[in-house]
Amino acid sequence: MTTEDTRTYDVIVIGAGPVGENVADRTAAAGLSTVIVESELVGGECSYWACEPSKALLRPALLRADALRVPGIDPAVGNPLDVDAVLAHRDRMSAGWQDDDQVAWVASAGIDLLRGHGRLAGEREVSVRTPDGDTVRLRARHAVAVCTGSRAALPPLPGIAELRPWTSREATSARKPPGRLAVVGAGVVGVEMATAWQALGSRVVLLAPGEGLLPRMEPFAGELVTERLGEAGADVRFGVSVVAAERVPDGAARLTLSDGTGVVADEVLFATGRAPRTEDLGLDALGLVPGEWLATDDSLTVTGVPGEWLYAVGDVNRRALFTHQGKYQARIAGSVIAARARGERPDPGRWTPYSSTADTEAVPGVVFTDPEIATVGLTTAEAERTGRDVEVVDYELGRLAGAVQYRPDYRGRARVLIDRDRQVVVGATFAGPGVAELLYSATVAITGEVPVERLWHAVPAFPTISEVWLRLLETRRDS
């Protein structure tokens, strides 16, 4: 027998991933009664099937790659990784796919948790179907925040259901390395998972539809990753797509490629993009299209819905598909919701806590491959496409004393883009071991619009890789 009850809160948050948790934390801290609705694990995709487990798989591989090149270290570091130990570490970082700690945090923050599938049922209303089959009607006095994130998008390939392919979820939670792994896709998920499973003993074939890996980044980034994957034993093929796929009687997957060749693998990972988790969210009740991304203004308020009560935060709005950007948006959305609840009209100005501007100006991202790739702001191609007049300044990182201390055979490159009119950095890309730690300084330079002449007075410590900032300035001066 099912039952139905109605509960009223100031704020309803649909989705208890890092984004939803941060929205709820901000609104609860502002004194607004808040409930989170979650149909899976509290902590979301990042905690269990993305950021945390993927980096746990990658870290041993990257550390070994660095150690192999440092004089004086036992050559035994080149032996195969202890697969069981790596997977056990992955399991710990994913909390064994148990959300007890996250649930405890929600309670400690004064936030209510309702498990079940939430759907928008009208203005400021959410209907939740609980695991027991009951229905709970939630009403919000002030706001509903949709923080349902995104899911892996599979291509419309004949036979794909019977193929039983991996998505990012299976790739980060697999219990053992497949003997043969085919990776379809040249983006971040594809190259990271190819790196991880190749290091764990799989024979990896990486199928890229275009001419290079990481096509949205500077070409040299993809070239360096391609080089290292090849050295590690991966088979990287360009300009090919899968046109047919099937599981053969022995359980293997057989792929037919666009160039007429084929690949046989034990598992196939499709890393071919993301789609919003809005297909069963009740968007039609508000005149929106189920399965579509939710467009917002800079306050994260959904456009096309009157009343300033519906918010879309994180991946679901497609502004910038990174966990850290979603959490940034969550802080802004929480501030906006709290201000409006107080009867205020939050200032949407550029430098206020009520405007999500970093989604377009300075989005940082790291690809945890060998070598690491760190990017923020514009690429050269984006600058050309948008008509920005920029100076392009490059420097080979292997010329730095700090880089050679890191690895004697260090290979890498740095590039910054400088706006000719404003004389500020508008983009930066670093490719090389350990470059992720350069990213925040670049993000600050871009976000803060630091004049290039001022950067001469930001003195990097010697010998560190951060000295590249000085070398880039010198290269520009001498060109």
Side-chain angles (χ1 to χ4, degrees):
M1 178 178 178
T2 61
T3 61
E4 180 172 333
D5 69 82
T6 301
R7 308 173 194 176
T8 301
Y9 291 87
D10 291 324
V11 180
I12 302 167
V13 178
I14 306 176
V19 175
E21 288 178 325
N22 274 269
V23 172
D25 186 39
R26 286 299 172 107
T27 58
L32 300 176
S33 61
T34 302
V35 61
I36 292 184
V37 179
E38 177 54 57
S39 61
E40 294 188 291
L41 295 176
V42 176
E45 197 83 6
C46 182
S47 298
Y48 307 106
W49 301 287
C51 323
E52 296 286 0
S54 66
K55 303 314 167 279
L57 292 173
L58 285 159
R59 181 57 182 154
L62 303 184
L63 183 60
R64 181 181 65 172
D66 289 339
L68 279 169
R69 291 162 174 79
V70 177
I73 291 182
D74 190 334
V77 299
N79 291 338
L81 294 174
D82 184 332
V83 174
D84 290 341
V86 173
L87 296 182
H89 173 57
R90 183 272 316 272
D91 293 352
R92 285 191 297 272
M93 293 303 296
S94 302
W97 292 274
Q98 300 294 318
D99 62 2
D100 297 357
D101 288 346
Q102 299 272 11
V103 171
W105 175 84
V106 170
S108 73
I111 303 162
D112 284 357
L113 171 65
L114 179 58
R115 291 192 184 271
H117 180 73
R119 301 180 83 253
L120 296 162
E123 183 174 339
R124 295 183 174 84
E125 291 192 357
V126 175
S127 176
V128 181
R129 192 71 167 173
T130 71
D132 295 330
D134 296 330
T135 298
V136 179
R137 302 282 292 191
L138 299 177
R139 292 177 178 161
R141 297 184 186 93
H142 299 295
V144 176
V146 176
C147 308
T148 51
S150 63
R151 57 176 173 77
L154 292 173
L157 181 70
I160 196 167
E162 293 74 19
L163 184 67
R164 302 184 304 280
W166 277 10
T167 67
S168 52
R169 283 198 170 194
E170 290 78 16
T172 55
S173 62
R175 307 315 304 170
K176 63 179 181 179
R180 300 164 296 180
L181 174 64
V183 179
V184 184
V188 175
V189 172
V191 297
E192 285 192 346
M193 290 299 93
T195 299
W197 290 110
Q198 177 71 37
L200 288 168
S202 297
R203 297 192 301 279
V204 172
V205 177
L206 178 56
L207 307 173
E211 298 179 356
L213 301 183
L214 303 172
R216 295 184 180 181
M217 301 180 182
E218 300 286 4
F220 64 80
E223 290 166 4
L224 285 167
V225 172
T226 301
E227 181 180 316
R228 286 296 298 127
L229 278 171
E231 291 174 0
D235 178 5
V236 184
R237 305 184 192 181
F238 297 108
V240 292
S241 58
V242 179
V243 296
E246 62 176 340
R247 284 280 175 184
V248 296
D250 67 359
R254 178 179 293 153
L255 307 180
T256 303
L257 306 183
S258 55
D259 63 359
T261 63
V263 170
V264 177
D266 298 295
E267 301 293 349
V268 181
L269 165 61
F270 279 92
T272 49
R274 307 289 295 178
R277 296 184 65 181
T278 61
E279 63 276 7
D280 190 19
L281 189 60
L283 295 183
D284 48 337
L286 304 176
L288 301 174
V289 180
E292 294 291 322
W293 303 94
L294 293 176
T296 72
D297 61 21
D298 284 348
S299 70
L300 289 314
T301 306
V302 175
T303 57
V305 176
E308 294 184 335
W309 62 272
L310 184 62
Y311 299 78
V313 193
D315 277 14
V316 75
N317 62 34
R318 208 183 192 180
R319 294 170 69 97
L321 275 66
F322 290 101
T323 296
H324 47 272
Q325 290 298 126
K327 292 165 71 172
Y328 160 76
Q329 293 175 11
R331 295 190 290 270
I332 290 167
S335 297
V336 172
I337 291 168
R340 287 175 174 167
R342 293 190 298 265
E344 300 173 6
R345 300 300 302 169
D347 179 3
R350 188 176 178 199
W351 298 112
T352 73
Y354 308 115
S355 187
S356 185
T357 57
D359 302 328
T360 55
E361 294 178 353
V363 177
V366 179
V367 188
F368 292 90
T369 48
D370 179 21
E372 285 181 341
I373 311 298
T375 68
V376 62
L378 296 175
T379 64
T380 308
E382 288 168 339
E384 292 175 353
R385 186 170 60 250
T386 55
R388 300 285 290 272
D389 185 13
V390 298
E391 295 179 62
V392 179
V393 186
D394 289 342
Y395 192 82
E396 294 298 322
L397 289 168
R399 297 165 61 189
L400 296 169
V404 177
Q405 292 284 359
Y406 196 98
R407 273 166 59 161
D409 66 341
Y410 195 105
R411 286 174 287 176
R413 185 189 297 184
R415 170 173 291 180
V416 296
L417 308 183
I418 299 171
D419 186 298
R420 293 184 190 274
D421 295 329
R422 296 162 52 220
Q423 289 297 295
V424 295
V425 178
V426 292
T429 297
F430 306 100
V435 296
E437 300 306 327
L438 292 173
L439 191 55
Y440 189 67
S441 58
T443 304
V444 170
I446 294 171
T447 304
E449 299 179 343
V450 180
V452 173
E453 288 304 312
R454 217 32 219 139
L455 290 177
W456 282 100
H457 301 281
V459 182
F462 180 88
T464 66
I465 300 175
S466 65
E467 195 180 18
V468 70
W469 280 104
L470 175 60
R471 302 303 172 216
L472 286 164
L473 293 173
E474 290 173 340
T475 299
R476 176 175 180 261
R477 178 199 62 192
D478 298 338
S479 63

